[in-house]
Amino acid sequence: MGHHESLPLGHTHFAEPEQVYHSAKFGMWVFLATEVHLFGALFCTFAVYRWRYFEDFQQFALSLNWRLGGLNTIVLLTSSYFMVRAVDAAQKGLNKKVNSFCNLTLLCALTFLVVKFFEYRAKLILHEPPIFPHSHIFYGLYFTMTGIHGLHVLLGMGAIWWLKMRAKREEFSVTYYTPVEVVGLYWHLVDVVWIYLFPLLYLLGGLA
Amino acid sequence: MSAHAATADGKQLNYLNCEKGLWSWIMSIDHKRIGLMYLASILSFFVVGGVFALLVRAELFSHGKTLYGPDDYNVFFTLHGVIMIFLFIVPGIPATLGNFLLPLMIGAKDVIFPRLNRFTYWLYLFGAAIAFCAIFMRLDTGWTFYAPYSIQNRWAVVTATAAAFFLGFASILTGLNFLVTIHNMRAPGMTWGRLPLFVWTLYASAILQIVATPVIGITLLLLLLENTMGIGIFNPAAGGDPVLFEHLFWFYSHPVVYIMILPAMGVVSEIIPVFSKKPIFGYKALVYASVGIAAVSFLVWGHHMFVAGMSNLSRYIFSFLTFFVAVPTAVKVFNWVSTMYKGSISWDTPMLYAMAFVFLFLIAGTTGVHLATLGTDAHYHDTYFVVAHFHYTIQGGAVIGLFAGLHFWFPKMFGRMYNEKVAKFAWLFLFIGFNGTFIPQFILGMEGMPRRYYDYPIEFEPLHRISSIFAFINAAGYAMVLGNLFYAVFKGKKCEENPFHSLSLEWTTASPPIHDNFVQIPRVTTWTYGYGAEHAAEGEAVH
Ligand SMILES: [Cu+2]
């Protein structure tokens, strides 16, 4: 039974590595399906109120800074590119490269959050009186949707940080790179959600 | 480890005694232990929820004030609902019997993500702890948290929604784990066409858990944000729409009924062929019916809002689709009855429960058709008729299914047998008590008794009294069941490995199973339901 025997009872190997790899990826896709439904309900809510308060939504969309939103779109797309490179490097077992591409992805994610911070500040602190709370539903939706998305960015950053640490310990190899792929999938979802949020919130009213 | 490894004192080594101490349970990633921990947890919550139900029934015993005031009443029926739904019956069969049996039934050593499984259990318990905080904060919105009552900056609602969010997340993760396990962990030869029906129903309910639960998650999060920050989405004063909350809420909460009921149907599909000594009738039809119910269940949520402001066209569509649910459900009932037809039926306790399930669920289903009908629903809506209908579904269906499964797989789980006489006696109490509680409620509903009311006109008193008395008989039945089973866990008679002569894969291994489930991953060569005189007499599996 080889090295299995030395493991305590609770940690016997129950599945083949191949099985675990495919299952982890499948599991992540299933999880992404739940995320799509989570945001899907928000998008539905948005659609309902945009339909109902059409003029207001047009007008308030103009108050958002589409340049900053556009910048953030580019930043996130770039981060997804770096993430792909990290996955590619992991598949080749190049731990150093995984580490540096994780760093670049993290840098993009951080940039995104900093830009978002300035956008929020403009609405929450600099604006007199503050636009939120007790404001129009448009802002309720704007802050909820971008806030929950931002939370996903933060969680993704945590996961990428974890990858980076593992890459530093040289844990990935040609035969083992499952975590990088799985986190990569998650990170792309975070990106995709923003790609829908940006035009819905910033652009539907036209460009200011 | 070999199969017949033994402890120093010569005892057979199994999942229960292979590791000792509280810590070995807390840290366990064994699906069987996690299943048992879930079982202990949900049954405890079941008792708590039951006590609240009895408190409610006791107050309703007499016209006017009987025991306590209306504010307490609101709190008690809310807690009954919240505890029973979110803590007991949503995890219900999948988290307990599903966890224990799924890997055994498909010939695997564990679920695919055992550590995630452990995390899920503790997440569930964490959510339950938060939910209990809401108890002390006097949550009184009803389990449905309808806006605008629930958005008046009420911290009890914030707490309860936070709890439901964690509990929902645990439910999603269980579904995810099961789905991937069923896809990737089946033993060689366990093809989709040979999959036990219980596993198929776990599969269907896993899909519901994965697809529907995120919607309630975000809805409750919106409610939480509404209460803490005032985002306005459900607040009519800010232009928000409380009916939107109802739509989002029922988009989850209708399918969740099938998360509860589908696995119970699976349990019954496993039990009936064993005790009829006949192959299951219409295996494929049962599989398609499960998947069909899961699919249709997403399209019918509107039937909860027929009188809440909805266009006529939507009403027609939702009503039609709701009728449609009756089709796959009836297919199932037809197949169960056909399985029993000309079988040689033995009246063991699991079979009694399975038959009670079919009978009670039939009533639940047919009264559901009354509620799906637009004309009659206008009259029945928000009356005791609805209360009785969903108790027939949830208690008569899901809870009876759970207890059917517990009595059936008890020897598998513990290698011991409960007292059969007490079990049958308790079943009788339960069956009579249950029907006696809710048949009067159907009549009350037809006569116009609204649900959630603290008081009623004196004319309704006799029926309320009958309902309350039988509720206590029902509770006595549950007390007997739980006492009997709990006693048998420790003191029950040791029994043979496969006392009911089932042919299913989970019975081919030791009872209680060894830590790794199987000495060797089995090779499946036949269908699970090949019951017939010659095999059943030998009581041997034909894998
Ligand atoms: Cu419904």
Side-chain angles (χ1 to χ4, degrees):
Chain A
M1 293 222 297
H3 71 283
H4 292 199
E5 229 164 357
S6 60
L7 290 163
L9 265 180
H11 300 272
T12 39
H13 287 229
F14 57 91
E16 302 301 319
E18 185 68 12
Q19 220 172 0
V20 175
Y21 167 71
H22 287 295
S23 301
K25 262 174 83 171
F26 183 37
M28 183 43 88
W29 277 107
V30 173
F31 183 72
L32 296 189
T34 73
E35 292 278 22
V36 167
H37 280 80
L38 189 123
F39 282 102
L42 279 175
F43 285 129
C44 277
T45 308
F46 184 87
V48 166
Y49 287 122
R50 188 169 194 281
W51 178 267
R52 193 171 296 178
Y53 303 115
F54 186 75
E55 310 269 283
D56 293 354
F57 270 53
Q58 295 281 94
Q59 183 205 325
F60 288 125
L62 293 177
S63 77
L64 298 180
N65 189 332
W66 67 269
R67 287 184 186 82
L68 287 181
L71 172 67
N72 257 350
T73 309
I74 293 165
V75 166
L76 268 194
L77 280 172
T78 315
S79 81
S80 258
Y81 168 74
F82 289 137
M83 193 68 232
V84 171
R85 295 295 303 270
V87 174
D88 180 59
Q91 285 171 340
K92 291 175 182 145
L94 305 170
N95 279 293
K96 282 221 175 63
K97 268 190 152 180
V98 175
N99 182 29
S100 24
F101 279 117
C102 280
N103 280 338
L104 287 169
T105 316
L106 283 173
L107 192 69
C108 287
L110 196 68
T111 313
F112 177 89
L113 289 180
V114 169
V115 172
K116 204 80 222 138
F117 167 78
F118 282 108
E119 281 189 80
Y120 275 15
R121 197 177 67 143
K123 293 277 175 294
L124 291 173
I125 298 164
L126 300 185
H127 203 276
E128 247 341 294
I131 281 187
F132 182 81
H134 307 298
S135 52
H136 194 274
I137 287 181
F138 176 83
Y139 290 107
L141 279 166
Y142 165 75
F143 281 107
T144 307
M145 293 168 100
T146 55
I148 291 175
H149 175 261
L151 207 64
H152 279 75
V153 172
L154 268 177
L155 290 174
M157 286 173 77
I160 294 167
W161 185 267
W162 171 69
L163 290 183
K164 180 177 138 63
M165 288 298 129
R166 296 191 68 172
K168 268 193 177 165
R169 291 196 299 266
E170 308 264 314
E171 285 183 28
F172 303 117
S173 66
V174 190
T175 51
Y176 179 70
Y177 48 83
T178 315
V180 192
E181 273 213 45
V182 168
V183 172
L185 279 173
Y186 176 81
W187 188 252
H188 296 320
L189 178 96
V190 173
D191 190 3
V192 166
V193 169
W194 178 258
I195 288 177
Y196 283 92
L197 284 178
F198 172 59
L200 276 184
L201 293 168
Y202 291 77
L203 301 182
L204 278 184
L207 301 182
Chain B
M1 284 167 299
S2 83
H4 299 287
T7 50
D9 52 355
K11 270 192 198 155
Q12 198 84 21
L13 210 54
N14 59 47
Y15 78 99
L16 291 167
N17 61 14
C18 66
E19 278 178 299
K20 288 236 155 69
L22 188 63
W23 191 246
S24 78
W25 282 84
I26 291 173
M27 292 306 289
S28 179
I29 56 170
D30 181 352
H31 67 99
K32 301 183 284 302
R33 285 189 168 202
I34 292 172
L36 286 195
M37 290 195 286
Y38 262 119
L39 188 62
S41 313
I42 73 159
L43 289 180
S44 314
F45 298 138
F46 176 58
V47 172
V48 179
V51 168
F52 282 118
L54 291 179
L55 281 171
V56 167
R57 278 320 315 168
E59 169 53 41
L60 292 168
F61 186 75
S62 297
H63 163 77
K65 183 179 168 182
T66 315
L67 288 175
Y68 49 82
D71 285 335
D72 288 333
Y73 178 81
N74 290 345
V75 173
F76 289 164
F77 80 68
T78 299
L79 296 180
H80 165 64
V82 167
I83 292 171
M84 286 300 201
I85 299 280
F86 292 109
L87 297 185
F88 169 59
I89 203 69
V90 168
I93 296 178
T96 57
L97 293 172
N99 247 321
F100 194 97
L101 293 164
L102 172 60
L104 286 163
M105 281 184 143
I106 61 173
K109 286 185 176 179
D110 208 314
V111 292
I112 183 74
F113 307 121
R115 280 176 191 79
L116 181 69
N117 204 17
R118 172 179 62 190
F119 170 75
T120 306
Y121 173 71
W122 290 103
L123 186 66
Y124 160 76
L125 223 54
F126 176 67
I130 301 179
F132 268 78
C133 297
I135 290 186
F136 296 109
M137 299 168 86
R138 298 179 61 83
L139 181 71
D140 67 349
T141 56
W143 78 276
T144 51
F145 305 117
Y146 269 16
Y149 183 59
S150 60
I151 57 169
Q152 292 158 15
N153 199 6
R154 306 162 61 83
W155 286 102
V157 174
V158 171
T159 313
T161 47
F165 188 82
F166 288 113
L167 294 166
F169 203 29
S171 177
I172 288 175
L173 293 178
T174 302
L176 187 151
N177 214 340
F178 284 10
L179 187 82
V180 181
T181 302
I182 297 170
H183 268 273
N184 288 358
M185 295 287 279
R186 284 169 290 128
M190 181 55 87
T191 56
W192 288 97
R194 287 179 186 155
L195 217 53
L197 287 160
F198 180 53
V199 177
W200 268 113
T201 55
L202 286 178
Y203 186 82
S205 63
I207 291 176
L208 295 180
Q209 281 167 294
I210 289 160
V211 178
T213 318
V215 176
I216 192 75
I218 193 69
T219 308
L220 294 181
L221 202 63
L222 288 175
L223 193 59
L224 195 149
L225 292 174
E226 188 75 70
N227 271 314
T228 48
M229 293 195 247
I231 51 177
I233 289 171
F234 300 133
N235 184 1
D241 190 348
V243 179
L244 181 67
F245 175 84
E246 295 184 29
H247 278 283
L248 292 170
F249 180 85
W250 288 111
F251 183 83
Y252 163 78
S253 296
H254 184 81
V256 82
V257 174
Y258 297 97
I259 294 176
M260 304 166 190
I261 201 76
L262 276 168
M265 291 172 160
V267 169
V268 169
S269 306
E270 295 299 326
I271 290 174
I272 288 179
V274 174
F275 295 92
S276 306
K277 311 240 171 10
K278 265 185 67 192
I280 186 89
F281 181 89
Y283 170 89
K284 272 200 181 142
L286 282 165
V287 171
Y288 288 132
S290 296
V291 180
I293 289 174
V296 180
S297 75
F298 279 110
L299 310 170
V300 300
W301 78 90
H303 60 221
H304 296 269
M305 279 154 285
F306 283 155
V307 297
M310 182 184 267
S311 75
N312 274 336
L313 180 65
S314 317
R315 267 191 263 252
Y316 300 151
I317 293 171
F318 279 123
S319 174
F320 173 77
L321 288 169
T322 306
F323 284 136
F324 196 76
V325 180
V327 178
T329 318
V331 166
K332 289 201 167 216
V333 173
F334 177 79
N335 284 6
W336 293 322
V337 175
S338 303
T339 306
M340 286 186 260
Y341 180 67
K342 286 194 172 171
S344 96
I345 293 173
S346 44
W347 299 94
D348 297 88
T349 313
M351 187 61 170
L352 289 178
Y353 275 100
M355 290 176 117
F357 174 94
V358 177
F359 178 79
L360 299 174
F361 195 70
L362 203 64
I363 296 177
T366 43
T367 52
V369 175
H370 294 58
L371 294 169
T373 312
L374 292 170
T376 45
D377 182 70
H379 179 65
Y380 291 139
H381 185 85
D382 255 350
T383 67
Y384 267 41
F385 192 89
V386 179
V387 175
H389 158 72
F390 73 68
H391 278 87
Y392 266 86
T393 317
I394 306 305
Q395 196 189 149
V399 181
I400 294 288
L402 172 67
F403 282 103
L406 279 181
H407 282 90
F408 181 51
W409 282 295
F410 191 88
K412 179 80 245 165
M413 297 165 118
F414 300 104
R416 293 173 189 273
M417 192 55 114
Y418 44 84
N419 183 319
E420 176 79 11
K421 275 204 190 103
V422 176
K424 280 186 174 150
F425 193 64
W427 173 86
L428 194 68
F429 254 71
L430 222 159
F431 187 75
I432 293 172
F434 173 74
N435 283 301
T437 308
F438 291 105
I439 288 172
Q441 295 195 14
F442 276 127
I443 303 168
L444 279 169
M446 284 189 274
E447 289 178 353
M449 172 76 208
R451 63 193 287 197
R452 299 199 184 100
Y453 275 33
Y454 171 69
D455 201 6
Y456 46 79
I458 190 82
E459 299 81 38
F460 287 154
E461 197 175 58
L463 283 169
H464 268 293
R465 288 214 160 153
I466 297 173
S467 180
S468 291
I469 291 167
F470 278 94
F472 278 87
I473 296 177
N474 195 10
Y478 280 119
M480 274 189 269
V481 174
L482 293 176
N484 189 27
L485 292 181
F486 190 72
Y487 179 82
V489 170
F490 304 99
K491 295 278 167 68
K493 247 199 236 140
K494 289 246 157 81
C495 66
E496 33 176 328
E497 301 254 291
N498 186 2
F500 303 122
H501 309 300
S502 167
L503 301 183
S504 193
L505 193 56
E506 77 271 18
W507 293 99
T508 58
T509 178
S511 304
I514 54 170
H515 174 78
D516 274 349
N517 291 350
F518 300 95
V519 185
Q520 262 184 325
I521 291 299
R523 255 172 205 288
V524 183
T525 53
T526 53
W527 192 45
T528 316
Y529 300 100
Y531 296 95
E534 68 278 23
H535 298 309
E538 293 159 25
E540 253 173 47
V542 281
H543 303 290

